[in-house]
């Protein structure tokens, strides 16, 4: 039996949970999760207490990686408009992946109906982090209303991921064009700078 | 035993399915569905063949009502801009309902992973109907690119419903402001007409 304090047991469970919850939905059973992770149910309950806590922990662990795939890197130009548009260029790549099954945070927030469930808290925190990034950049870019623009751009993120799922395919150019239109309407870019 | 050809048996199953799939997710069991509907499993299988077909039928039955809640009525001004904005005014009311748990079509498309599953087809058809409404109105309103604008407005629909779920509350004014910004950027309204 694996040692429940063993980091690799924990990691194997988090890996299995991340993959299976995303690919199959939150109704995946504990038996299947433990079988895939190669971990006993007893170890799972010792480490996480419940399936819900395992789900929340695996979702939380994924946030930095998901955000890193979208947010500017040191190579991205420092210009705040470029930094905001970077997110939507990246997003089009994310949704074009054949394994893409929707934004994991919106998906789980929709599937888990209790608003105070730990995974709902993780989803809200992800959302707030993304909006906060947009707000800071919009402020630096001189937006008329940075708070409004940041919420609008978050809507474009969520709506683009929804579209890719519903239509079952990528959204070439659409996220970028929509974000550009909102940056234009928000007083940040001029018409001739629209991509 | 109820007569499987009986319309009321069918209706009771569709009602129970609509309510339970929306409130609890697509993993609701056949036993629970049939118990709530007061219908035997045998009748359910005779009428629908499978739980998936029942899910698809209940989702499909809901589309006209969901669209009717959003789309213009005979009382809405005929002006195409007003007709498009009407959708977002209505949407803010839809997402403010404490029972709101996300767009049912996006939610199911995310939960059901197989792209050719019958419910995915229903979700896509709903999406296309909404986009088609926007495209016609955008064309009448003289949009620079009615096809693009109609997809952008559909993104605002989906993103607003996602936001209401993730944040666990209404989105006062946000859907309308975002749609107005896109109508402005799309050459349909002028700055001073933005609401």
């Amino acid at each position: 039996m694996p040692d429940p304090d063993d980091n690799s047991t924990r990691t194997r469970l988090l890996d299995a949970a991340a993959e299976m919850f995303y690919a199959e939905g939150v109704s995946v059973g504990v038996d299947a999760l433990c079988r895939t992770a190669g971990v006993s149910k007893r170890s799972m309950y010792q480490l996480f207490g419940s399936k819900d806590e395992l789900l929340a922990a695996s979702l939380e662990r994924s946030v930095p990686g998901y955000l890193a795939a979208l947010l500017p890197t040191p190579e991205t130009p420092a210009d705040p408009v470029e930094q905001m548009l970077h997110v939507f260029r990246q997003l089009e790549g994310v949704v074009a992946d054949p394994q893409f099954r929707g934004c994991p945070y919106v998906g789980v927030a929709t599937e888990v109906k209790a608003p105070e469930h730990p995974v709902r808290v993780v989803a809200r925190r992800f959302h707030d982090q993304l909006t906060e990034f947009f707000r800071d950049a919009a402020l630096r870019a001189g937006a008329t209303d940075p708070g409004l623009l940041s919420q609008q751009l978050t809507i474009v993120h969520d709506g683009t991921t929804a579209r890719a799922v519903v239509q079952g395919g990528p959204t070439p150019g659409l996220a970028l064009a929509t974000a550009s239109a909102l940056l234009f309407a928000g007083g940040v870019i001029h018409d001739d700078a629209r991509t």
Side-chain angles (χ1 to χ4, degrees), chain A residues 24 62 114 166:
Chain A
E24 298 173 38
S62 73
V166 172

Side-chain angles (χ1 to χ4, degrees), chain A residues 1-178:
Chain A
M1 200 189 93
D3 175 4
D5 291 330
D6 186 343
N7 263 334
S8 77
T9 304
R10 191 181 163 83
T11 302
R12 285 210 308 279
L13 273 166
L14 288 170
D15 288 345
E19 193 176 317
M20 295 178 79
F21 284 132
Y22 188 62
E24 298 173 38
V26 301
S27 60
V28 165
V30 168
D31 286 334
L33 277 168
C34 291
R35 208 179 312 119
T36 302
V39 168
S40 71
K41 277 170 47 169
R42 185 181 158 154
S43 296
M44 191 288 268
Y45 285 114
Q46 277 178 332
L47 278 165
F48 292 99
S50 70
K51 184 185 121 177
D52 283 357
E53 292 296 335
L54 170 58
L55 171 56
S58 84
L59 203 68
E60 185 144 38
R61 192 189 58 160
S62 73
V63 173
Y66 187 89
L67 280 173
L70 294 181
L71 296 184
T73 66
E75 283 71 47
T76 315
D79 174 52
V81 170
E82 275 310 307
Q83 299 224 322
M84 289 186 273
L85 292 178
H86 176 86
V87 172
F88 297 97
R89 281 196 198 96
Q90 293 295 109
L91 182 61
E92 309 239 0
V94 168
V95 305
D97 184 330
Q99 302 305 313
F100 184 74
R101 298 285 176 271
C103 168
Y105 315 104
V106 173
V108 157
T110 306
E111 274 199 78
V112 174
K113 308 299 178 182
E116 293 317 317
H117 189 289
V119 303
R120 295 286 297 265
V121 178
V122 175
R124 210 146 54 226
R125 210 181 300 139
F126 157 75
H127 220 235
D128 291 343
Q129 278 181 267
L130 186 63
T131 305
E132 190 59 25
F133 162 77
F134 287 135
R135 213 191 58 83
D136 283 356
L139 194 66
R140 285 189 287 129
T144 316
D145 184 342
L148 174 63
L149 184 56
S150 69
Q151 293 184 24
Q152 292 175 328
L153 294 175
T154 307
I155 279 183
V156 178
H157 167 274
D158 293 346
T160 301
T161 62
R163 181 172 191 88
V165 172
V166 172
Q167 296 294 335
T171 61
L174 185 57
L176 194 62
T178 309

